[in-house]
Amino acid sequence: MANPDFHLQFQDFESDEGLLGSSREVTEVSIDDPVGKSQKQRRVPGGAAQDEDTDSLGNDDTTQLLSGQKKSAPFWTFAYYQTFFDIDTYQVKDRILGSMLPWPGKNFVRLYIRSNPDLYGPFWICATLVFAIAISGNMSSFLSHQGSPNHTYVPDFGKVTIAATTIYSYAWLVPLALWGFLTWRNNKVMNAVSYSFLEIVCVYGYSLFIYIPAVVLWIIPSEGLRWCSIMVALCLSGSVLVMTFWPAIRDDQPRIAIAMILSLMALHTLLAVGCKVYFFSSGSSINHVVTQTEVIETADPTRAH
């Protein structure tokens, strides 16, 4: 049975201090949130302007960074050219493998270069190729004349200068001419594919990597092996160039497009064959031996008889 005096009894409640403490805790929690904090800072004299200025500056920097509106450095500063070498080892390795293993239907620029064109890979590939040609040429000359009593081996350091002039001229002047031609033709024929000068330099620079192992094989005094390695390297690197630049000129007149592709392949072939003939020609080695023999016979006439 319910107690009839229940409603007449006084209930015990928490003291006033407990209620004030709980309300104080609620107030403190509400102040800690961002809205309360900002309101509190506005009530502090002399502090609101400084906090708001700091927040606005931070927001402006963040907005510029995310939107990509940062001003680029002038071209005469080191920071401007530093961006061209901002690339990691994995990207360089992928681009080298892509230039050595071309796949039909895959554009080298779109897959590897366009996201971050660089000059790091092309520069060091050309430098490595220059020293590979010079060192391999001297070693090939030494091996081909080994055991010859009339030959005195003298390293030809002039090959480094000639190789550097040839390789770097090809890696820069040919892309410059190609970029100028594509720009001129794009003004007449609107092509769906276009390349910048830096992208063209990247393609040519990475396409020369296959010649480095081929040049190392040229040390072996075997003409058959040398010509075979030239053909393999030429086909692989030439395929990269054709599959990359054909989409940029295929909408042009057929005669101009075919002539352009043939010109690219002719220059690429001339580079490979010219390096082989000049630095690894057996005919020049024979002439060198004959010259040495003539000098000895002239110095000692008794040997001529």
Side-chain angles (χ1 to χ4, degrees):
M1 181 176 181
N3 189 2
D5 297 332
F6 174 76
H7 298 284
L8 300 178
Q9 294 178 356
F10 293 98
Q11 304 294 327
D12 293 333
F13 296 94
E14 296 180 359
S15 61
D16 296 338
E17 295 179 358
L19 294 175
L20 291 175
S22 61
S23 62
R24 187 181 299 111
E25 292 176 357
V26 173
T27 304
E28 291 176 356
V29 171
S30 63
I31 291 176
D32 289 339
D33 60 359
V35 177
K37 185 175 181 180
S38 61
Q39 294 176 355
K40 182 179 178 181
Q41 290 178 349
R42 293 191 186 95
R43 289 196 297 268
V44 177
Q50 182 177 0
D51 293 340
E52 290 178 356
D53 292 341
T54 304
D55 293 341
S56 62
L57 290 175
N59 292 333
D60 292 340
D61 293 340
T62 304
T63 303
Q64 283 186 346
L65 182 62
L66 295 177
S67 61
Q69 296 179 354
K70 287 284 186 180
K71 294 182 178 180
S72 59
F75 71 92
W76 60 82
T77 61
F78 179 77
Y80 176 80
Y81 298 97
Q82 189 177 6
T83 58
F84 299 147
F85 296 84
D86 186 12
I87 190 172
D88 55 20
T89 307
Y90 297 101
Q91 288 179 323
V92 174
K93 182 184 69 175
D94 291 340
R95 294 177 182 188
I96 290 175
L97 292 177
S99 65
M100 296 176 62
L101 301 174
W103 194 259
K106 292 186 178 180
N107 191 302
F108 183 75
V109 173
R110 184 173 55 85
L111 292 178
Y112 302 101
I113 304 299
R114 178 146 294 176
S115 60
N116 183 24
D118 71 291
L119 293 179
Y120 179 86
F123 176 80
W124 287 111
I125 288 173
C126 292
T128 306
L129 182 59
V130 167
F131 286 101
I133 291 175
I135 295 173
S136 299
N138 283 302
M139 292 184 64
S140 174
S141 177
F142 172 76
L143 293 177
S144 61
H145 298 126
Q146 188 177 11
S148 177
N150 298 326
H151 175 72
T152 301
Y153 174 72
V154 178
D156 188 3
F157 295 101
K159 291 183 177 180
V160 179
T161 304
I162 298 174
T165 304
T166 303
I167 298 301
Y168 279 101
S169 298
Y170 176 81
W172 284 94
L173 296 181
V174 175
L176 180 62
L178 178 59
W179 173 75
F181 176 81
L182 293 178
T183 304
W184 171 60
R185 295 307 300 175
N186 283 336
N187 294 331
K188 298 180 176 295
V189 180
M190 295 301 297
N191 294 323
V193 181
S194 62
Y195 302 121
S196 65
F197 173 68
L198 185 59
E199 291 174 345
I200 298 176
V201 171
C202 281
V203 174
Y204 269 86
Y206 282 102
S207 67
L208 295 177
F209 183 84
I210 190 62
Y211 287 109
I212 297 176
V215 167
V216 175
L217 291 177
W218 293 354
I219 297 176
I220 303 174
S222 175
E223 289 298 316
L225 179 62
R226 290 174 181 176
W227 285 110
C228 181
S229 61
I230 287 177
M231 295 304 297
V232 173
L234 185 61
C235 291
L236 292 176
S237 59
S239 299
V240 174
L241 297 179
V242 171
M243 289 188 297
T244 301
F245 296 112
W246 174 250
I249 60 177
R250 61 185 175 187
D251 295 334
D252 207 333
Q253 300 178 9
R255 182 179 302 177
I256 296 178
I258 295 175
M260 191 63 195
I261 291 296
L262 293 178
S263 299
L264 294 180
M265 292 304 301
L267 292 174
H268 210 58
T269 305
L270 181 62
L271 176 69
V273 176
C275 289
K276 191 271 172 192
V277 171
Y278 183 83
F279 295 100
F280 299 89
S281 177
S282 58
S284 62
S285 302
I286 295 174
N287 293 333
H288 183 71
V289 173
V290 172
T291 304
Q292 290 288 340
T293 305
E294 291 176 353
V295 170
I296 294 173
E297 291 179 353
T298 304
D300 190 2
T302 58
R303 288 192 176 186
H305 302 284

